[in-house]
Structures are given as structure tokens and as C-alpha cells.
Amino acid sequence: MSCSVARALEWGTVSSSSAATGLSPIAEAAPLSLCAREPHVPADRLVAEMVPPPRFDSVRFATYLPDPNQPSQTEAVHVLGAFAAGLGGAQATGAGKRKLFGFGKAPKKAPAGPRGVYLDGGYGVGKTHLLASLWHATPAEPELKAFGTFVELTNLVGALGFQKTVQTLSGHRLLCIDEFELDDPGDTVLVSTLLGKLVDAGVALAATSNTLPGKLGEGRFAAADFLREIQGLSARFRPLRIDGEDYRHRGLPEAPAPFSDEQVTKAAYATPGASLDDFPHLLDHLARVHPSRYGALTDGLRAVCLTDVQPVPDQSTALRLVVLADRLYDREVPVLASGMPFDSLFSEEMLNGGYRKKYFRAISRLTALARDAKGLVEGV
């Protein structure tokens, strides 16, 4: 019997009969469990949820605080504000929404010239804040604007099919793509082709991607890489460099150390709407849920409590965890954990490999959510 199960039995939070099952006893006894959820998300929800996540509901250009030592940040606010204002006269009929499951008249062709902006910068310089601000500032009804991560966009294509995705989005005035990723050549070609169709339909584009912390001058992903990979679309984008350091670490304390199994479990039972799962069991469960459903997996959660956090065993598991971390961060769900600290999740080989941008992003975001969770153990 594991220590966490033994403690749960001692506290009276799990029965001996449940300990005999093949499931995680702590997760089974918890008020909520991610491992017990198997959400099924209809295609129309995937489309309707292509808006800035809750964390960015209220952000605007006016709420972005440029670093006075980084003039590129102030410039970005001005350029994006002008870009949003210029979309007021864009051709967008909303036909894409009406054609979700049918065909209709094709929208007009886009005018010549740049119809997109690409925000090039490191982690935590506020690119997503600015991208969401652009979405909010663009003078169009919400149903004529779409906002999603690169992964969410590829998931949408997987759910609807390529042609229906083109039909759905072609009537939009603006498509914002956060965390554009080029580590999968197949997905890159897919999205590049999709964007070409949308640009031809008159849709304006905006995209972000990440560079590596501490690698802004050498070996980093940069605007040239992005423009090369999207091939014929490069002339449609204006690269906009945003310099600066990760705001999540500006003047903030170091990430809190993991708590004990006892603290995490007691906090889960004391927090209405919290989930409690054994980390290895959660990783196994994620393999059975499509990543497009990870947002629905977190519906209604006030906190995620995890026991026995360990380094992830392989790259496929690590990439699924990255998607979950993104969805939790978007929804501002604090994460309380025992076991290993979050900066020990990924091996050195992973952090030096082709998906390193994703892993550094996940570490940064989980660390921020761990800080948010510190209050859950107070008074417990």
C-alpha cells in the first residue's frame, strides 16, 4: 500500500474496500477527480469556445503595462491598436458561421497587402495579453472573431474536417492564433494551407509564438523561421518583435516547494470544487482523453490537487501534460501538488529537444499556478 493511500485510510478519507480496487484510492475518494471524467465535446462547442480564455476576458491594450526599459513593448501596443482600428472596414459577412454544416456563397477576396501581424518574443513578455487585447479591440461581433491556440486550431480541423473548418472560419474578420508551433511538419503544412484559404476569403490574421528563456540571441525561434515555414503567406504578415523578461518572474518569489501528501489531501477536502488525483494515474487517464477535450475536463474546477508528482516518463505523456497545463492556466485554476517540484517534470533530454519550447512554457505556467495555490493550505 502506498504512503498516500495509507495516510488517506488513517484520516478516514478512503475505505479499505476502495483501497482494494485497481483505481487510485485517493482519486476515488476525492470530492472531484479528473480521472473520473471522460468529457465528450460537440463540434459546435469547439467553435463557440474560440474566444480569449477566462484569464484574458478583461485584458485590454490599456491594461498592458509595458516595461519602461523595453521600448518595443510600447511600440507593439501602438501598432496593434492601429491594426485593430484598420479592421473596422474589413470584409466579413459571418457566412462562415451559417455554413458550419453546409455550403453557401463564398466570401469576397481579401484586399492586397499585409493582413496579419506576427508577435515574436520570449516567454512572459505579454504576447497573449496583446493578442487577446487585439481580439477585444477589433470592431466586430464576437462571432466574427476567433481566438485559439495552434493546438486548438488543429483539433478543430480534426473535429470538423478541413473543408468545414474553412467554411466555418471564412466569414470571420479576425483569427488570432496563440502559441504557433512548428515542431510538427504535418500540422505546420495543414495550418499554413488553412490560413491561405482564410486569407483569400478576407480574414485578417494574428499569431504569436515563443522563444526559449535565455536564448534570445542564439538558436532561438524567430520571425524568419515563422515566415519561412508558412511559405506563401509570409508577405501577409508584419513581424513585430517584443523584447523583455518573463513577467511571471519579475520581482516575484521563487516557486513554492511542493507540499506533503497530507497537506494536499486535506486542502482538497476543504476546498469546494477542488479535484484530487494521484499524478501517475492522471497521466494514464490523459492518454484516454483527446487533448481537444482537456478544457472540458477542467469544467467547474476551483483547484487541482495532485499527489506524488513525478518526472513524466516519455515524450507523448509530456506533450499531453503540456496541453493540460495550458488549459489550467487559461482558466486560472490553481494547482496544489506534493512530490517533485514542477521544474523537475521534464528530463534534460526533453528540455534540450525539439519540443523544448512547450516544456519551458508548461513549467512557467504550472509554477505560476502553484503560487496561486499556496492559500489553499492556510488554516487547513
Side-chain angles (χ1 to χ4, degrees):
M1 182 182 299
S2 69
C3 292
S4 58
V5 175
R7 291 193 185 102
L9 287 168
E10 180 182 347
W11 302 329
T13 57
V14 64
S15 66
S16 58
S17 61
S18 66
T21 69
L23 301 176
S24 166
I26 287 181
E28 190 175 66
L32 295 171
S33 170
L34 292 174
C35 292
R37 294 182 167 191
E38 296 184 6
H40 296 279
V41 183
D44 57 352
R45 173 174 169 175
L46 293 177
V47 177
E49 289 185 341
M50 292 195 72
V51 297
R55 178 177 286 270
F56 299 98
D57 274 345
S58 61
V59 302
R60 299 294 186 273
F61 289 130
T63 64
Y64 180 77
L65 301 177
D67 185 336
N69 296 317
Q70 303 292 346
S72 63
Q73 295 185 10
T74 299
E75 180 187 6
V77 172
H78 295 316
V79 171
L80 292 172
F83 183 76
L87 296 179
Q91 176 65 35
T93 65
K97 285 289 182 181
R98 295 193 298 272
K99 296 189 297 178
L100 176 56
F101 297 108
F103 293 88
K105 184 179 179 180
K108 295 180 180 179
K109 295 290 184 180
R115 292 283 295 163
V117 290
Y118 165 66
L119 308 184
D120 178 35
Y123 289 88
V125 296
K127 297 189 306 300
T128 302
H129 184 136
L130 291 171
L131 191 68
S133 298
L134 172 63
W135 188 93
H136 288 298
T138 296
E141 295 299 317
E143 59 268 22
L144 296 182
K145 301 180 286 187
F147 184 107
T149 65
F150 181 89
V151 171
E152 288 172 321
L153 187 60
T154 58
N155 287 339
L156 182 67
V157 175
L160 297 183
F162 184 83
Q163 292 301 328
K164 286 184 179 178
T165 302
V166 172
Q167 295 160 24
T168 299
L169 299 178
S170 61
H172 284 57
R173 189 163 298 178
L174 173 69
L175 171 61
C176 296
I177 308 169
D178 201 19
E179 310 290 0
F180 204 105
E181 299 171 356
L182 301 177
D183 39 35
D184 186 315
D187 283 347
T188 300
V189 172
L190 173 71
V191 173
S192 180
T193 304
L194 172 65
L195 296 185
K197 297 286 187 182
L198 296 180
V199 166
D200 287 343
V203 182
L205 307 173
T208 75
S209 69
N210 280 325
T211 60
L212 287 175
K215 295 290 186 179
L216 297 182
E218 179 182 358
R220 67 172 181 83
F221 178 84
D225 302 298
F226 174 82
L227 297 176
R228 181 181 64 252
E229 292 296 334
I230 60 173
Q231 301 170 13
L233 285 175
S234 60
R236 299 291 191 177
F237 280 88
R238 171 181 176 176
L240 192 60
R241 176 70 191 162
I242 304 174
D243 298 300
E245 60 178 311
D246 189 336
Y247 77 90
R248 288 180 284 268
H249 304 304
R250 288 182 208 157
L252 294 175
E254 293 296 320
F259 293 93
S260 68
D261 285 354
E262 179 179 359
Q263 288 173 305
V264 171
T265 302
K266 286 185 174 180
Y269 279 92
T271 306
S275 66
L276 178 61
D277 292 278
D278 180 66
F279 186 71
H281 285 83
L282 176 60
L283 295 183
D284 290 341
H285 183 64
L286 292 180
R288 297 188 289 272
V289 179
H290 192 274
S292 66
R293 302 174 183 174
Y294 287 6
L297 193 69
T298 67
D299 281 352
L301 291 184
R302 282 192 55 196
V304 166
C305 298
L306 301 171
T307 58
D308 195 23
V309 170
Q310 304 174 11
V312 293
D314 56 75
Q315 193 130 260
S316 295
T317 302
L319 292 173
R320 288 191 288 268
L321 181 60
V322 168
V323 177
L324 179 64
D326 286 342
R327 300 293 81 77
L328 292 172
Y329 183 78
D330 288 344
R331 289 159 175 77
E332 300 183 293
V333 180
V335 178
L336 189 71
S338 67
M340 301 289 290
F342 286 131
D343 59 6
S344 299
L345 284 172
F346 309 111
S347 67
E348 285 299 317
E349 182 180 2
M350 292 178 182
L351 294 179
N352 291 321
Y355 296 111
R356 59 192 183 275
K357 296 189 297 292
K358 297 174 187 278
Y359 300 143
F360 277 109
R361 183 178 79 232
I363 291 171
S364 177
R365 291 184 167 184
L366 288 171
T367 296
L369 295 177
R371 292 194 189 104
D372 295 342
K374 290 181 67 176
L376 298 178
V377 299
E378 294 177 0
V380 175

